[in-house]
Amino acid sequence: MNDMTPPTREERVEKLKGLGCSRKRVEDVRFTHGKGNYVDDIKLPGMLHGDFVRSPYAHARVKSIDASAALALKGVVAVLTAKDLEPLNLHWMPTLAGDKQMVLADGKVLFQGQEVAFVLAEDRYIAADAAELVEVEYEELPVVTDPFKALEPDAVELREDLHGQDSGVHGKRRHHNHIFLWEAGHKEATEQAISSAEVVAEEMVYYHRTHPCPLETCGSVASMDKVNGKLTVYGTFQAPHVVRTVASLLSGIEEHNIRVVSPDIGGGFGNKVGVYPGYVCSIVASIVTGRPVKWVEDRMENLMATAFARDYWMKGRISATKDGRITGLSCHVTADHGAFDACADPTKFPAGFFHIMTGSYDIPVAHVGVDGVYTNKAPGGVAYRCSFRVTEAAYFIERMIEVLAIELGMDAAELRAKNFIRKEQFPYHSALGWEYDSGDYHTAWEKALKAVDYEGLRREQAERVEAFRRGETRKLLGIGLTHFTEIVGAGPVKNCDILGMGMFDSCEIRIHPTGSAIARLGTISQGQGHATTFAQILASEIGLSADSITIEEGDTDTAPYGLGTYGSRSTPVAGAATAMAGRKIRAKAQMIAAYLLEVHDGDLEWDVDRFVVKGAPERFKTMKEIAYAAYNQAIPGVEPGLEAVSYYDPPNMTYPFGAYVCVMEIDVDTGTHEIRQFYALDDCGTRINPMIIEGQVHGGLTEALAIAMGQEIAYDEIGNVKTGTLMDFFLPTAWETPNYTTDFTETPSPHHPIGAKGVGESPNVGGVPAFSNAVHDAFRAFGLRQVHMPHDQWRIWKTAHDLGLHG
Amino acid sequence: MSRMHITLTVNGEERELLAEPRELLIHVLREKLGLTGPHIGCDTSHCGACTVEMNGRSVKACTVFAAQADGAEITTIEGLGSPDGLHVLQQAFREHHGLQCGFCTPGMITRAHRLLQENPDPTEEEVRFGMAGNLCRCTGYQNIVKAILAAAEEMNTVKEAAE
Ligand code: FES
Ligand code: FES
C-alpha cells in the first residue's frame, strides 16, 4: 500500500479509539509492574506513624486515660486524646449526614473499636507497642445492638450529647435513640389500595449489615509545612475536593493553603467516601508536630470501625388483583445507623434514594417511611457499590415480587412482565416522585429469558422436585430472577448536595499545540479505568486519538472542583462534563478552521477528526492542524489557545437497568451450593468501553455473591464484632466464584450528552436479589417464603431442616 | 530491640540490612528496600496481596519474618518484566483486563508466575484452585483466570518453538 493513501473514514474512526472501543487500559502498565502509588507507598522525610488505642467495649464511660508508660517508650513522640483536640474544636467532627461524630472518645465510647487515643511514633512497630501501653479505665454501660430494642421506652440513652433535643437535621426525634423519620409517597392512598385489594402479600425483608472491604484499607499521610503555611494531605479519598473543603472548615486553614491528593486507590466501593477520625488525627498530629504523619488502618480496624453498609429491616406489603396487576406497595424501614449517623447520602435524603423501591414496575400508589436508629455499632451506612440505598430498595422489591408470585400462585417471570413500565411510558413518573429517563424492560426481559431457556429450566426444576420427592436426588434447583432499575448520577444540584455542596462535576481540557491534550476531572478512579474511558469520550468529541490524551484526577491543586466518584456518578456527571467541555473546544476550533479555510463557520461540518467545507470534502482542517494554528497564528477576534472547562449539573439522574438470571444447585444435606449459570444483561445506555463494562459487571456480581451467600458484619448482644478479620468475613476466592455470561441492550439516556448511564454498581444492585432469589426459589415447592441473608452453608442447611427436608 | 544482620538476594541483587527479630518480610521489602509492589491487605494471611517468591516457592511476605528469609532468594513483582518489556503474564493481564484497581495485581501475577512454573499447562480448575490464596475485590476473577490460561498457552508456544 502506498504510504500516501489518505486513511479512509473508518480508519480515521478506528484510530481515535473513541466511544464503543474496547481500548486496553492505560493504567495497567504501571500496575502490572508494581509501580502503582497507593497511600501506604508514600514515604516523606521525617514521617511519623500514627496508631489508635481502640475501645474493647461497645458502650462504656471513659474514666481516665494514662499515657505515661507509652510516652516513656523510646521512639514515641506524643499521645493525643480528646482533651488535646478540644481546644482546636476537633474532638468531634460533622458527619456527611448532618450528625456529628467523636474523633476521639469524649467521656464515653459507643461502639467496639471506637478511637480513644492516637499514638505517634517513629515507626509503625513502636506505635503499635505504645498503643498497648496506654491505660484506659472504662466503666461499662448497658449495650443495645438491636434497633427495635433501642426504640423501647426504657432503652439506655446512647447519645447523651443529644439529650433533650427532640429534633435533628431531618426533623422530629421521637425517642432518645431515634434519629429521624423520613417519608415519601401517599400514605392514605396506599393504605386504601392495600386494604381494598384482592390479594396482599406481607413480609419482613432484612438486608443484613455488611462492609465494602476494598483490598486496600483506608489511610492518609498529612504534611504541614509550617514555613509556607501549606497543608498537604494524601489519602484514600473518593471525594478529594470535598475533603479539602471540610478540612478547611474544620481547621481554619484557608482552602488555598490546603492541597488534597488522592493517589492510586486500591478499591473504594463506598468505603472511602466518608471522613474518618484517622484522617483528622493525622492532620492534627502533623499540625502539632510539624512532621508528616501517616495513618493506615489494618484490616481489623477497617472492618470494625470504618463504613459498614446496609442493615435495613424492611417491612413490606404489596397488593394486586387476582390476575397479578400490582395495585399498591408500602414499606416501613427500621434502619440501624450505629452510634453516629455517618451515612454518605445527599444531605436532603437521609435514606438515600430508597424511594426507587417501586423498581421496574408500574405501581400506581406507594408509600415508604424510614426510621433511623442509634445502636452500639460502628457508624457508616455507606453506599457499598451502590447509589445511596438503591441496593436495599432493589432487594426489597425483587423479594416482594417473589413473595407476591407465591401468594398469587403465579410464575415470577410472568408477574414481572405483566407489571413492567412499558417502553412508551417513558419518561415515567413513579409513585414516589422519580422521573425515569428511558427504558425498554420487556425487550431486555425477553432476551434474558430466551438466552437461558427459561421454560426449559422450569421444566427441569419441576422434574427435579419430583425426583427429590421420590428420593432419587438430594439436590434442588433454584432459578433466581431479577429485573432491577438503578438510579445513579447524583445529581441535579437543585436537590442533591453533600454538606451544602451541589453535586455537579467538572472537566477542564487543555489542547497542546502539537495536537495532544490533557484533561482533568473532579472525580477519582479507584479501579474503574477513568484514564482510559474519559479519554475515549473526549476522543470522539474532539477528534484526537485517545492515546494522545492524558487524564488526570485527584489533585485538588490542579483538578477542577468536583464531588468525586461514588454512586456510579462519574460517567453520568463527569463524563457529561467531559463531553460538554469537548464541545466547547470544538466550537472554538470551528471558528479557527473557518478562518484558515476562508469560509463562513456555518459552511463547515464536523467529520470524525476534522472540519470539512460542506460540499467540498477535499477542503478540510484536522483538529491537529487547528490546534497548531490556535497557538501560532494571529486570528482576528479569536483569543490564542485552545482550552475549555465545563461544570456539569445534570438535569436528571440516569436509570440503568438489567435482567439477571442465576441458576443454582443446592445440596439439601450439606447446605452447599453451586452456581451452574449466571446470565447478566445490563443496559447502561451508550457503551463507552465494552471491555471495561464487562469487567465492572464481573466484579460487581462477585461482590453481590459475597453479600448474598456469606458476607456479614455480625455483633453479639454485648456489642462484640464477630467478623473482624478475613477469617470470618467472607470474601470469595477464585475457587468459589463462578463464570458469568454478560449481555446487553442499549437504551441511551435522552438527557445525557452522549447517552451514557453508568454501570459500576448495577451488578451489585441486581446481583444480590438474583442470588438470593435462587436460594428461595429452590425451596419454593416446599413452602419457603422468606429467609434472611446471608445464605451461608449453615443457614441453607437450617432452611432445609426447618422445612422438614431432612426427614 | 536488638537488630539482626540479614542478607537477601532480591530480584537478583544482594541486599544487606538490619531488622528486628519480629519484623515482617513485607515491611522490610516495602519500607527498607523500597519495593512497594507487594501490598498489605489483611492481618490474617488471607489476601495474598503481599505474595512474593522465596527460594522458588510462593510465600505471603506478611507471614514470614525477615529473619527467616536470611540468605534467601526473593523475587517480587519488580523482578518480573522490565519497564520496556512486559512479562508475558503482565501483558496477558492487560490484554484480558485482569485488573482494575491494581492493588491485588502484583501478588496475583507473582503467584501466577510460580503456579505456571509448577504446572505449565493448567486447566481452568487448576488455575482457580492454585490462585485461591489471592483475593481480588474488583475483577470477579474471570478475566484473571483467562489471562493466566492465555499466558500459559503463550509461554508453551514459545517454549515449543525453541525446542
Ligand atoms: S497481607 Fe494479606 S496475606 Fe499477606
Ligand atoms: S484489581 Fe482491585 S483488588 Fe484486584
Side-chain angles (χ1 to χ4, degrees):
Chain A
M1 196 175 101
N2 183 339
D3 277 359
M4 301 310 287
T5 317
T8 64
R9 191 167 188 280
E10 286 69 42
E11 285 166 346
R12 286 193 282 126
V13 171
E14 203 174 310
K15 207 172 143 242
L16 289 185
K17 300 195 185 167
L19 289 183
C21 161
S22 281
R23 179 179 186 230
K24 303 295 170 220
R25 302 200 330 162
V26 297
E27 297 88 343
D28 291 358
V29 174
R30 164 166 114 249
F31 289 149
T32 54
H33 269 98
K35 294 289 179 215
N37 184 34
Y38 302 88
V39 72
D40 201 14
D41 301 342
I42 293 168
K43 199 170 164 184
L44 300 177
M47 188 171 76
L48 297 171
H49 292 258
D51 204 344
F52 279 112
V53 176
R54 293 179 181 272
S55 168
Y57 298 110
H59 196 195
R61 265 187 225 299
V62 177
K63 307 287 282 185
S64 66
I65 301 176
D66 178 359
S68 52
L71 287 167
L73 192 69
K74 190 163 166 260
V76 174
V77 174
V79 177
L80 301 178
T81 65
K83 287 220 164 38
D84 304 301
L85 302 186
E86 198 175 345
L88 305 165
N89 204 20
L90 284 172
H91 54 320
W92 287 74
M93 62 179 185
T95 69
L96 297 180
D99 194 359
K100 55 184 180 155
Q101 174 178 351
M102 287 180 219
V103 174
L104 291 171
D106 183 22
K108 73 185 285 193
V109 287
L110 284 156
F111 64 94
Q112 187 182 53
Q114 189 179 328
E115 300 80 1
V116 175
F118 191 65
V119 176
L120 277 169
E122 297 290 343
D123 78 31
R124 67 170 81 222
Y125 284 75
I126 300 171
D129 286 345
E132 299 271 307
L133 293 174
V134 176
E135 295 261 356
V136 186
E137 195 190 331
Y138 297 96
E139 178 188 307
E140 286 185 72
L141 294 167
V143 171
V144 34
T145 56
D146 176 334
F148 297 97
K149 289 196 182 136
L151 289 181
E152 285 172 4
D154 56 351
V156 58
E157 180 171 35
L158 301 182
R159 291 288 299 274
E160 291 159 271
D161 59 296
L162 301 177
H163 184 78
Q165 294 183 19
D166 56 9
S167 72
V169 279
H170 304 299
K172 223 177 112 45
R173 298 173 64 215
R174 62 166 195 274
H175 180 280
H176 51 259
N177 294 328
H178 184 248
I179 312 172
F180 60 81
L181 167 64
W182 184 83
E183 291 178 281
H186 289 282
K187 197 166 183 174
E188 290 75 41
T190 307
E191 286 306 321
Q192 170 67 27
I194 293 175
S195 60
S196 62
E198 293 170 356
V199 181
V200 178
E202 196 171 330
E203 205 51 72
M204 170 66 96
V205 178
Y206 179 47
Y207 198 139
H208 59 292
R209 180 174 280 240
T210 181
H211 193 285
C213 194
L215 202 58
E216 177 202 36
T217 58
C218 300
S220 54
V221 176
S223 177
M224 183 73 208
D225 173 345
K226 290 207 168 172
V227 177
N228 294 309
K230 285 241 177 208
L231 171 68
T232 306
V233 190
Y234 304 87
T236 47
F237 308 133
Q238 286 181 237
H241 301 272
V242 179
V243 169
R244 185 186 68 191
T245 302
V246 172
S248 171
L249 293 173
L250 289 182
S251 67
I253 301 173
E254 278 192 88
E255 211 168 344
H256 70 104
N257 279 329
I258 303 178
R259 174 177 171 222
V260 175
V261 182
S262 295
D264 288 326
I265 295 185
F269 317 123
N271 198 167
K272 294 166 182 171
V273 175
V275 175
Y276 300 122
Y279 301 158
V280 178
C281 286
S282 66
I283 293 172
V284 176
S286 182
I287 295 174
V288 171
T289 61
R291 291 171 66 177
V293 175
K294 178 187 275 188
W295 166 74
V296 176
E297 61 180 0
D298 64 28
R299 178 59 62 198
M300 194 185 269
E301 295 179 292
N302 174 251
L303 290 172
M304 280 174 83
T306 47
F308 81 89
R310 328 292 194 235
D311 215 343
Y312 257 35
W313 292 90
M314 304 174 283
K315 180 108 180 107
R317 283 175 301 150
I318 187 165
S319 63
T321 59
K322 271 199 292 270
D323 61 350
R325 274 234 140 268
I326 300 171
T327 57
L329 177 69
S330 104
C331 182
H332 177 266
V333 182
T334 303
D336 185 340
H337 284 233
F340 308 98
D341 185 10
C343 290
D345 293 319
T347 304
K348 288 192 194 76
F349 297 97
F353 303 156
F354 185 79
H355 48 315
I356 191 73
M357 69 165 198
T358 53
S360 310
Y361 312 102
D362 182 14
I363 301 179
V365 283
H367 176 260
V368 56
V370 181
D371 275 309
V373 184
Y374 290 124
T375 60
N376 287 120
K377 297 181 187 167
V382 300
Y384 171 6
R385 202 161 186 152
C386 130
S387 172
F388 315 123
R389 306 287 187 185
V390 176
T391 40
E392 287 92 326
Y395 185 63
F396 170 73
I397 182 65
E398 290 301 297
R399 284 299 311 138
M400 291 309 289
I401 289 281
E402 294 281 319
V403 173
L404 179 62
I406 293 172
E407 200 72 46
L408 290 162
M410 204 170 159
D411 178 83
E414 187 191 331
L415 177 61
R416 284 183 173 83
K418 189 158 202 162
N419 288 285
F420 281 148
I421 299 161
R422 293 184 316 279
K423 193 175 162 187
E424 62 278 9
Q425 285 176 285
F426 291 94
Y428 171 81
H429 292 268
S430 82
L432 294 176
W434 298 112
E435 185 189 313
Y436 291 31
D437 59 349
S438 64
D440 183 355
Y441 301 164
H442 283 99
T443 300
W445 195 236
E446 278 154 30
K447 191 171 179 186
L449 297 186
K450 196 152 168 246
V452 298
D453 182 21
Y454 180 67
E455 278 168 19
L457 283 173
R458 283 292 177 207
R459 274 196 302 278
E460 185 189 344
Q461 184 185 42
E463 284 159 18
R464 183 74 69 86
V465 168
E466 287 315 307
F468 183 87
R469 292 203 158 114
R470 289 195 301 268
E472 291 162 18
T473 178
R474 297 299 289 162
K475 283 195 176 167
L476 295 174
L477 186 69
I479 304 164
L481 303 174
T482 291
H483 191 289
F484 64 91
T485 295
E486 255 253 77
I487 169 168
V488 304
V493 171
K494 62 180 186 290
N495 50 26
C496 287
D497 68 285
I498 285 190
L499 294 179
M501 276 161 286
M503 294 179 73
F504 58 83
D505 230 290
S506 56
C507 175
E508 188 186 284
I509 305 171
R510 229 177 261 181
I511 311 287
H512 306 314
T514 51
S516 65
I518 183 164
R520 297 189 171 100
L521 294 99
T523 44
I524 175 74
S525 186
Q526 309 122 41
Q528 295 90 338
H530 290 173
T532 307
T533 50
F534 285 129
Q536 291 182 253
I537 296 179
L538 207 49
S540 288
E541 291 293 340
I542 63 175
L544 296 176
S545 167
D547 290 342
S548 331
I549 302 171
T550 297
I551 300 289
E552 256 186 31
E553 307 172 296
D555 184 338
T556 59
D557 263 9
T558 54
Y561 204 99
L563 271 276
T565 296
Y566 43 86
S568 278
R569 63 186 301 281
S570 296
T571 298
V573 192
T578 306
M580 298 312 273
R583 286 171 197 182
K584 288 185 188 174
I585 296 274
R586 217 160 79 185
K588 183 168 179 185
Q590 184 162 4
M591 299 203 294
I592 298 171
Y595 174 81
L596 297 174
L597 292 163
E598 297 177 354
V599 293
H600 187 271
D601 57 3
D603 293 332
L604 291 174
E605 61 188 358
W606 177 250
D607 180 41
V608 186
D609 54 358
R610 60 193 59 182
F611 277 104
V612 178
V613 179
K614 283 181 193 161
E618 71 290 349
R619 295 191 61 212
F620 63 82
K621 285 287 167 197
T622 64
M623 187 54 103
K624 232 175 137 111
E625 294 169 308
I626 296 167
Y628 197 71
Y631 289 92
N632 294 293
Q633 208 157 334
I635 300 169
V638 179
E639 275 181 23
L642 197 50
E643 296 188 4
V645 54
S646 167
Y647 283 78
Y648 188 77
D649 175 13
N652 189 5
M653 315 264 184
T654 61
Y655 297 74
F657 60 94
Y660 293 176
V661 184
C662 171
V663 184
M664 192 186 282
E665 299 266 358
I666 286 182
D667 186 316
V668 168
D669 296 320
T670 61
T672 51
H673 72 273
E674 187 198 328
I675 291 145
R676 197 170 87 184
Q677 183 183 8
F678 198 108
Y679 169 89
L681 178 150
D682 275 284
D683 191 318
C684 57
T686 304
R687 290 155 56 85
I688 301 167
N689 182 321
M691 176 191 83
I692 287 182
I693 293 173
E694 194 193 64
Q696 290 285 314
V697 173
H698 290 170
L701 286 176
T702 305
E703 290 191 340
L705 168 78
I707 296 168
M709 305 310 290
Q711 187 178 86
E712 173 181 29
I713 294 289
Y715 288 82
D716 67 12
E717 317 77 74
I718 56 165
N720 292 309
V721 183
K722 296 198 288 182
T723 50
T725 72
L726 298 188
M727 204 116 62
D728 334 272
F729 185 80
F730 175 54
L731 298 183
T733 69
W735 186 246
E736 287 105 9
T737 306
N739 279 311
Y740 307 103
T741 308
T742 57
D743 203 348
F744 67 98
T745 54
E746 196 163 349
T747 313
S749 167
H751 63 76
H752 187 280
I754 60 166
K757 289 186 172 186
V759 73
E761 291 153 352
S762 294
N764 199 337
V765 170
V768 173
F771 288 112
S772 180
N773 283 346
V775 174
H776 283 92
D777 184 67
F779 294 107
R780 176 172 169 176
F782 303 93
L784 180 67
R785 261 173 79 113
Q786 173 68 25
V787 284
H788 297 322
M789 291 189 292
H791 308 296
D792 56 23
Q793 198 176 338
W794 182 78
R795 283 189 178 92
I796 292 181
W797 179 89
K798 179 89 166 53
T799 300
H801 197 74
D802 292 348
L803 293 170
L805 301 185
H806 292 154
Chain B
M1 213 171 280
S2 69
R3 284 165 199 253
M4 303 173 68
H5 180 243
I6 291 168
T7 312
L8 305 166
T9 307
V10 184
N11 300 329
E13 226 180 280
E14 197 173 283
R15 309 288 294 261
E16 282 180 54
L17 54 101
L18 291 174
E20 288 179 28
R22 63 172 177 174
E23 220 166 311
L24 299 174
L25 178 59
I26 188 68
H27 289 137
V28 164
L29 292 173
R30 288 178 50 79
E31 283 164 23
K32 296 206 161 133
L33 301 180
L35 295 167
T36 54
H39 297 133
I40 301 171
C42 73
D43 334 315
T44 47
S45 303
H46 279 88
C47 75
C50 60
T51 304
V52 300
E53 264 181 48
M54 181 164 123
N55 295 332
R57 293 173 59 193
S58 294
V59 297
K60 291 179 171 170
C62 71
T63 316
V64 176
F65 291 117
Q68 288 174 287
D70 191 17
E73 293 246 5
I74 289 174
T75 309
T76 68
I77 186 73
E78 288 91 344
L80 299 178
S82 63
D84 35 71
L86 287 182
H87 184 274
V88 177
L89 268 163
Q90 291 168 324
Q91 187 60 44
F93 268 65
R94 175 161 201 249
E95 193 60 36
H96 296 281
H97 191 28
L99 64 150
Q100 292 180 24
C101 79
F103 200 74
C104 71
T105 310
M108 281 285 173
I109 293 182
T110 315
R111 171 61 199 141
H113 178 252
R114 179 47 40 195
L115 178 70
L116 294 186
Q117 315 269 307
E118 290 159 4
N119 181 358
D121 197 13
T123 62
E124 178 181 336
E125 263 216 332
E126 287 167 341
V127 169
R128 285 186 176 272
F129 190 76
M131 297 300 297
N134 290 67
L135 297 174
C136 174
R137 291 291 288 140
C138 303
T139 65
Y141 305 105
Q142 193 161 330
N143 289 340
I144 290 180
V145 173
K146 228 201 233 166
I148 296 172
L149 289 170
E153 200 179 313
E154 163 128 28
M155 283 154 87
N156 289 335
T157 322
V158 172
K159 222 190 294 165
E160 269 162 40
E163 278 162 12

